[in-house]
Amino acid sequence: MKIPNLDIVRLHKPIKNELLAAIEKVIDSGEFINGREVNEFERKLAEYCGVKYAVGVSSGTDALIAALMAFEVRPGDEIITTPYTFFATAGSIARLGAMPLFVDIEPDTFNINPNEIEEKITNKTVGIIPVHLFGQSADMRPILAVAKKHNLWTLEDAAQSIGAKYEGKQVGTFGDSAILSFFPAKNLGSLGDGGAVLTDNGDLAEKLYILRNHGSKPKYYHKVIGGNFRLDTIQAAVLLAKLPYLDKWAEMRRAVAAKYISAFKKCERVVVPLEKPFAHHVYNQFVIRVPEAKREETIKALSAEGIGYAIYYPLSLHEQECFAYLGYKQGEFPQSEKAAKTSLALPIDPNLSDDEIARIADVIINTVSH
Ligand SMILES: *Cc1c(COP(=O)(O)O)cnc(C)c1O
């Protein structure tokens, strides 16, 4: 029996009729762009996240681009972030002609190491993008302190972590702004692409509303150069229908994670994810570490058993071909490079059964122990 990494079809089954009804309503309204569901979803999302404004956009990537444009990032600006994240975090910085200034990660959380940020800051540095990777918050307190000291803005990349908490408070509420992604495999997924920018700052929100419509206000009068960064009404309707289930699904993910952690207790060669005391982890991914020399073999064993897995991420961003022009060298971010060689994401389907979890753990333990 195959075990997929994430079975979205199974997740949707109990609410399929709700999703169809939501989509049908939009079809009948004919308002596919900027329809009323977009506004309603933005209100409910802002309320859920605990921010004043949530601006729906076309993807998490476009949320990053729009937020950076709203911060008025200019070519040559430097922005601090982690080299161990999905490409879009750094790609968006580079697309605006700015420089991703990488800071290595903490090995136990895969998140940016706050203690190494300050030494990287120069007079060209304008902001920090901490990423809450895999569903766990970065250590925001020291990050915000260094941002404040050096007068930098902070943009939280919460694409993988909607609903996660730091010291009891939702991620996305700490920085000047935050971004979310509704890519289908994220904890709140649309049936396609979608994203949002969060902020408490009314001026920033106003800029984002304009930027997502080609910088126009009123229509056909362009104040700034923006883009088409809009969230489709159909996706907003789907997200509205799914939002009430988000916390329940996160609890199911946490339960799966707890079972994995207990199953791996007997094997010290498998390092399970650490939930920091400050964190409430929502496990968008359950990422273990196996010995470097054993990862290939482990992957083969999982494949042979029909068990889904993923490598997040196989190559640190500072080593990507497209970023060669930035001049980073191999060995510059040892923790990130090590993580790329040892990490292994296991199925984290909210509906994973006890038997499936036990089977996955057995395959891995048998492989790494020999
Ligand atoms: C998914 C993701 C994004 C981009 O989101 P898309 O909706 O796929 O464009 C950005 N940052 C991180 C950390 C992500 O995981």
Side-chain angles (χ1 to χ4, degrees), residues 277-324:
F278 59 61
H280 175 79
H281 202 318
V282 291
Y283 293 101
N284 178 243
Q285 298 296 339
F286 186 87
V287 179
I288 62 168
R289 289 198 197 229
V290 295
E292 189 178 333
K294 285 281 182 186
R295 190 170 70 173
E296 208 41 51
E297 205 183 323
T298 308
I299 287 170
K300 286 209 180 94
L302 290 170
S303 294
E305 289 286 319
I307 297 167
Y309 68 85
I311 306 291
Y312 300 123
Y313 296 93
L315 187 64
S316 180
L317 293 184
H318 70 286
E319 298 181 281
Q320 298 288 343
E321 187 179 345
C322 69
F323 288 147

Side-chain angles (χ1 to χ4, degrees), residues 50-357:
V51 293
K52 284 202 185 122
Y53 307 94
V55 181
V57 293
S58 31
S59 68
T61 304
D62 286 343
L64 283 160
I65 291 278
L68 293 175
M69 289 172 86
F71 283 129
E72 298 180 16
V73 166
R74 301 272 174 260
D77 287 352
E78 294 171 351
I79 296 163
I80 286 171
T81 193
T82 155
Y84 200 70
T85 172
F86 178 59
F87 175 76
T89 317
S92 310
I93 296 171
R95 280 172 63 190
L96 292 178
M99 160 90 180
L101 206 55
F102 293 125
V103 168
D104 210 358
I105 56 167
E106 294 182 308
D108 57 356
T109 63
F110 303 98
N111 278 326
I112 193 167
N113 186 337
N115 301 321
E116 295 183 12
I117 292 176
E118 190 161 25
E119 65 202 59
K120 299 286 168 77
I121 295 172
T122 77
N123 58 7
K124 290 187 193 155
T125 312
V126 295
I128 307 178
I129 308 184
V131 179
H132 307 306
L133 203 68
F134 302 147
Q136 173 159 244
S137 175
D139 191 359
M140 290 309 294
R141 193 182 284 277
I143 294 171
L144 294 168
V146 82
K148 190 168 177 199
K149 183 172 164 193
H150 294 272
N151 200 22
L152 311 175
W153 48 254
T154 307
L155 173 64
E156 295 171 69
D157 183 338
Q160 300 183 5
S161 296
I162 185 171
K165 294 187 179 82
Y166 177 76
E167 296 182 347
K169 199 164 160 255
Q170 294 257 8
V171 300
T173 58
F174 293 94
D176 298 279
S177 180
I179 70 101
L180 298 174
S181 164
F182 307 123
F183 181 81
K186 302 291 162 77
N187 281 22
L188 181 64
S190 58
L191 305 181
D193 280 308
V197 186
L198 310 178
T199 186
D200 281 331
N201 180 331
D203 293 336
L204 200 72
E206 184 59 25
K207 275 186 178 171
L208 291 161
Y209 292 128
I210 294 171
L211 278 166
R212 74 172 170 185
N213 268 317
H214 290 291
S216 67
K217 194 190 178 184
K219 209 173 181 184
Y220 305 123
Y221 292 85
H222 300 268
K223 292 172 98 71
V224 290
I225 301 168
N228 174 356
F229 303 139
R230 294 180 301 254
L231 178 66
D232 290 342
T233 311
I234 282 191
Q235 298 305 345
V238 164
L239 291 162
L240 257 177
K242 287 181 75 174
L243 185 59
Y245 300 97
L246 177 60
D247 285 341
K248 185 179 111 187
W249 288 333
E251 281 313 307
M252 290 161 76
R253 285 170 183 268
R254 286 177 59 80
V256 169
K259 285 171 195 165
Y260 270 130
I261 289 168
S262 124
F264 284 122
K265 270 213 175 96
K266 59 180 175 203
C267 180
E268 59 186 23
R269 290 193 167 182
V270 171
V271 180
V272 295
L274 174 75
E275 185 178 34
K276 286 274 196 175
F278 59 61
H280 175 79
H281 202 318
V282 291
Y283 293 101
N284 178 243
Q285 298 296 339
F286 186 87
V287 179
I288 62 168
R289 289 198 197 229
V290 295
E292 189 178 333
K294 285 281 182 186
R295 190 170 70 173
E296 208 41 51
E297 205 183 323
T298 308
I299 287 170
K300 286 209 180 94
L302 290 170
S303 294
E305 289 286 319
I307 297 167
Y309 68 85
I311 306 291
Y312 300 123
Y313 296 93
L315 187 64
S316 180
L317 293 184
H318 70 286
E319 298 181 281
Q320 298 288 343
E321 187 179 345
C322 69
F323 288 147
Y325 75 98
L326 297 175
Y328 288 110
K329 288 178 188 60
Q330 200 185 9
E332 232 179 305
F333 304 99
Q335 295 302 344
S336 181
E337 290 169 36
K338 179 107 189 143
K341 293 184 185 120
T342 57
S343 66
L344 179 59
L346 304 184
I348 183 65
D349 195 284
N351 290 302
L352 224 52
S353 72
D354 291 4
D355 285 349
E356 288 172 320
I357 295 166

